[in-house]
Amino acid sequence: GYFTLGALQDGGKNIAIGDLAGTFTSFSEGNTTSNDSIFIGYFTKPAFANDTNQTIIGHSMQGMGSNTVSIGNSSIIANYFNGSFKYLN
């Protein structure tokens, strides 16, 4: 997509799909140093520029910080998952 990870100056091992994916943070600052993160969807953004290991999926969705997964946005009314959840702690 157009200008994916466009502000990134340092960092690596990121994946971005969708216009502006991973370019800005949730505070509209440039995302300059993300690492090991996945941004899927138009204008997906991490919470902060130095977050690591975030997975963010959904149109204009913002992440919740390092080591988190965020799916959907405020327009989503339900999430559906098939099968059982396995917790690995």
Side-chain angles (χ1 to χ4, degrees):
Y2 170 76
F3 209 55
T4 58
L5 297 170
L8 200 66
Q9 298 172 3
D10 192 18
K13 297 184 256 177
N14 298 296
I15 297 169
I17 300 170
D19 289 356
L20 299 171
T23 298
F24 299 101
T25 69
S26 58
F27 298 101
S28 298
E29 298 169 346
N31 177 23
T32 57
T33 56
S34 279
N35 289 287
D36 308 311
S37 295
I38 300 170
F39 306 92
I40 300 175
Y42 170 80
F43 205 49
T44 48
K45 46 199 170 290
F48 303 100
N50 60 351
D51 287 340
T52 298
N53 193 32
Q54 281 191 94
T55 300
I56 305 163
I57 302 170
H59 183 282
S60 298
M61 183 61 187
Q62 74 180 38
M64 299 296 140
S66 292
N67 305 307
T68 63
V69 175
S70 303
I71 300 173
N73 62 28
S74 61
S75 297
I76 301 300
I77 60 171
N79 287 291
Y80 297 92
F81 298 94
N82 195 12
S84 61
F85 282 92
K86 306 291 183 194
Y87 298 97
L88 304 173
N89 282 349

